[in-house]
Amino acid sequence: MIVVTGALGFIGSCLIRKLNDEGHGRNLVVVDDFYKDHKEPNLENKFVREWIHRSIFLEIFEKMANQIEFVYHLGARTDTVEQDKAIFERLNVNYSKAIWRICAEKQIPLVYASSAATYGDGKKGYQDNHEVIYSLKPLNAYGRSKNEFDQWALQQEAAPPFWAGLKFFNVYGPNETHKRRMASVVHHAFHQIRETGQMKLFRSHRKDVADGEQKRDFVYVKDVVELCHFLLEQGPESGLYNVGTGQARSFLDLTNATFAALGQPANIEFIDTPKDIRANYQYFTEASLDKLRAAGYTNAFTSLEEGVEDYVQNYLTTRKIW
């Protein structure tokens, strides 16, 4: 059996769609805090063996571990403005440690969700080599919790037979509506444009960056789950891996692509970045894919324009999930 935690969430539910399409269903055990945050539609039309609430999963996991062949641990608290460190310690660190320990003891391969938020302001670059992990300074409690677990994982002598910590960059795509304010900029742009005919972007507060030229590595969720499936099938060298396209694109590019997908002329207004987030605002992120390519992953990534068009026209406009 294959376990997917965070199964109702954005990436988790898309991964289940991918696994269903690859013939997995009767062997899928899915874990989440069910009936919360209006995420239930994300599992509609998906086939799984069993649903287990996260509060009782660890106890059940220990008892059924001999029947499990692979674990995707994608469940986490992902709110980047949450300040309660105890929540991150409980859900992102301690819960992950418990899953790791069982996987190590029972020799079950493990893929878990890390984050590009661990890279902080980017001064140390975006190389997923293990040496740099200890010098990173994430900008928020969420990023710090993910980096703490990455560091802990690298220090463990007892480990799963294969493990990968995936540093997700700016993922966008279907099944993210429940994330509300934490949903992607594409999601917010679509709704702003539909409601007002306009999109508001944060003004640059750096002299060397023009308004709208702040850049991120935007990666389509369908590409993310393709990589997750590759790890299930191939199991390359264990370690931390960046998950992005390797190409930073501007918020202007993203917004113009959203207007184009809607068949409307661009109408963009720049507003001041709120002062409470200005100091920690990232102006550039771009995944290094050298390690991923060296591990044998050769798939091309969807262009920003193609991904936005598919997302807007086939999911946001139609209100469909994937």
Side-chain angles (χ1 to χ4, degrees):
M1 291 188 288
I2 298 171
V3 169
V4 180
T5 74
L8 281 180
F10 172 30
I11 298 174
S13 63
C14 289
L15 176 59
I16 292 170
R17 165 55 57 216
K18 172 63 179 176
L19 293 173
N20 277 181
D21 290 347
E22 294 294 333
H24 299 285
R26 292 184 181 276
N27 63 333
L28 290 183
V29 175
V30 299
V31 181
D32 211 317
D33 185 3
F34 296 105
Y35 312 115
K36 183 181 179 183
D37 297 333
H38 310 289
K39 296 188 291 186
E40 298 94 326
N42 282 350
L43 281 188
E44 287 180 2
N45 301 316
K46 295 180 174 69
F47 185 54
V48 303
R49 175 191 179 102
E50 189 172 0
W51 300 19
I52 302 176
H53 195 279
R54 76 177 183 206
S55 63
I56 61 173
F57 169 66
L58 293 176
E59 179 181 353
I60 294 175
F61 184 26
E62 286 198 279
K63 296 177 180 178
M64 64 186 299
N66 291 333
Q67 303 173 56
I68 304 300
E69 61 176 306
F70 203 95
V71 173
Y72 290 103
H73 177 40
L74 304 180
R77 181 60 175 262
T78 60
D79 191 335
T80 57
V81 298
E82 173 65 65
Q83 299 298 316
D84 189 343
K85 295 180 182 178
I87 292 177
F88 291 115
E89 189 71 16
R90 177 168 57 88
L91 296 179
N92 293 4
V93 180
N94 293 337
Y95 199 92
S96 299
K97 287 180 178 180
I99 288 178
W100 174 287
R101 289 182 176 118
I102 296 171
C103 287
E105 179 184 352
K106 301 297 183 180
Q107 289 295 280
I108 304 168
L110 169 67
V111 169
Y112 73 86
S114 181
S115 172
T118 57
Y119 289 116
D121 61 8
K123 289 180 179 179
K124 298 290 183 178
Y126 299 95
Q127 296 280 342
D128 47 6
N129 67 72
H130 294 172
E131 291 72 24
V132 76
I133 300 303
Y134 300 96
S135 63
L136 296 179
K137 297 186 183 302
L139 299 176
N140 52 52
Y142 164 68
R144 288 190 288 272
S145 72
K146 288 298 186 180
N147 198 50
E148 180 182 341
F149 183 74
D150 287 344
Q151 292 180 1
W152 181 87
L154 291 171
Q155 295 167 359
Q156 300 311 298
E157 293 185 6
F162 163 73
W163 65 270
L166 303 184
K167 291 181 172 290
F168 297 124
F169 278 67
N170 284 67
V171 186
Y172 68 95
N175 302 15
E176 65 167 328
T177 299
H178 67 277
K179 291 173 68 70
R180 298 177 181 174
R181 64 177 179 173
M182 291 293 112
S184 72
V185 178
V186 183
H187 183 276
H188 290 297
F190 169 82
H191 289 286
Q192 276 195 41
I193 295 167
R194 286 287 293 264
E195 292 169 9
T196 69
Q198 184 184 62
M199 176 60 182
K200 294 181 179 180
L201 290 178
F202 289 150
R203 182 175 288 113
S204 173
H205 295 273
R206 281 175 40 175
K207 293 181 179 179
D208 60 331
V209 179
D211 290 342
E213 288 299 325
Q214 304 96 318
K215 294 183 177 180
R216 297 283 192 279
D217 192 330
F218 301 105
V219 58
Y220 199 28
V221 71
K222 291 185 179 182
D223 292 334
V224 171
V225 298
E226 284 290 339
L227 170 59
C228 289
H229 184 253
F230 164 82
L231 296 172
L232 170 67
E233 294 292 313
Q234 301 298 323
E237 183 179 355
S238 294
L240 303 172
Y241 287 93
N242 283 337
V243 182
T245 65
Q247 182 180 14
R249 298 291 302 274
S250 72
F251 283 103
L252 269 179
D253 290 337
L254 181 147
T255 305
N256 285 329
T258 307
F259 274 107
L262 286 166
Q264 296 181 219
N267 181 5
I268 300 169
E269 177 187 353
F270 292 101
I271 61 174
D272 285 344
T273 305
K275 291 184 178 180
D276 62 338
I277 66 171
R278 199 177 297 177
N280 292 335
Y281 186 80
Q282 290 177 304
Y283 276 74
F284 181 88
T285 67
E286 184 176 82
S288 167
L289 299 185
D290 293 345
K291 186 194 287 189
L292 187 62
R293 295 308 190 192
Y297 191 71
T298 60
N299 287 23
F301 287 88
T302 306
S303 73
L304 180 64
E305 287 75 14
E306 292 171 331
V308 170
E309 181 179 40
D310 182 52
Y311 182 26
V312 168
Q313 296 183 358
N314 296 319
Y315 300 98
L316 289 173
T317 301
T318 62
R319 297 185 179 181
K320 290 183 179 179
I321 62 167
W322 184 45

